[in-house]
Amino acid sequence: MGQKRITGSVDDPRVAELRTAVSRLRRKLAGLPVDFPDRPIAEDELAALDAMAVRGVPEIPRLRRSLLLIAGSIGSVSALAAGLREVRNAVDLFGEPPRT
């Protein structure tokens, strides 16, 4: 309730960018030989971002929440910093949520 959905489609370049960035980070995370306690959180939230992008109608507050959870869970893993930055930039393409 109170969450605005952004209309998107498979042809929406923002959605395509988000899917690409999420896919790259998921691959980097999967290939990381180091295990860390919050890895399942990052994996779950990346899956949630991908699911939102597949539907083509991401909710900005949910996008930002997932981004924060991902950043918090992998923020200290320097090997994932570039991929995390790509995801953040892709989320930023959707703009700020409307103020109520």
Side-chain angles (χ1 to χ4, degrees), residues 12 20 23 27 33 36-37 43 52 57-58 63 67 83 85 90 94:
D12 187 334
T20 299
S23 178
R27 282 193 310 269
F36 51 96
E43 291 168 343
M52 282 186 271
V57 287
L63 286 174
L67 178 61
R85 188 171 33 259
F94 290 90

Side-chain angles (χ1 to χ4, degrees), residues 55-66:
R55 288 192 305 268
V57 287
E59 297 174 4
I60 295 171
R62 181 67 175 103
L63 286 174
R64 295 203 177 276
R65 179 182 177 276
S66 287

Side-chain angles (χ1 to χ4, degrees), residues 4 17 25 32 34 53 66 75 84 89 91:
K4 180 176 169 83
E17 184 70 26
L25 184 55
L32 193 68
V34 178
S66 287
L84 179 59
N89 290 340
V91 168

Side-chain angles (χ1 to χ4, degrees), residues 35-82:
D35 208 14
F36 51 96
D38 292 334
R39 185 180 192 136
I41 294 169
E43 291 168 343
D44 289 347
E45 290 304 318
L46 285 166
L49 280 177
D50 188 53
M52 282 186 271
V54 166
R55 288 192 305 268
V57 287
E59 297 174 4
I60 295 171
R62 181 67 175 103
L63 286 174
R64 295 203 177 276
R65 179 182 177 276
S66 287
L67 178 61
L68 286 173
L69 288 170
I70 294 165
S73 63
I74 66 173
S76 64
V77 182
S78 61
L80 301 174

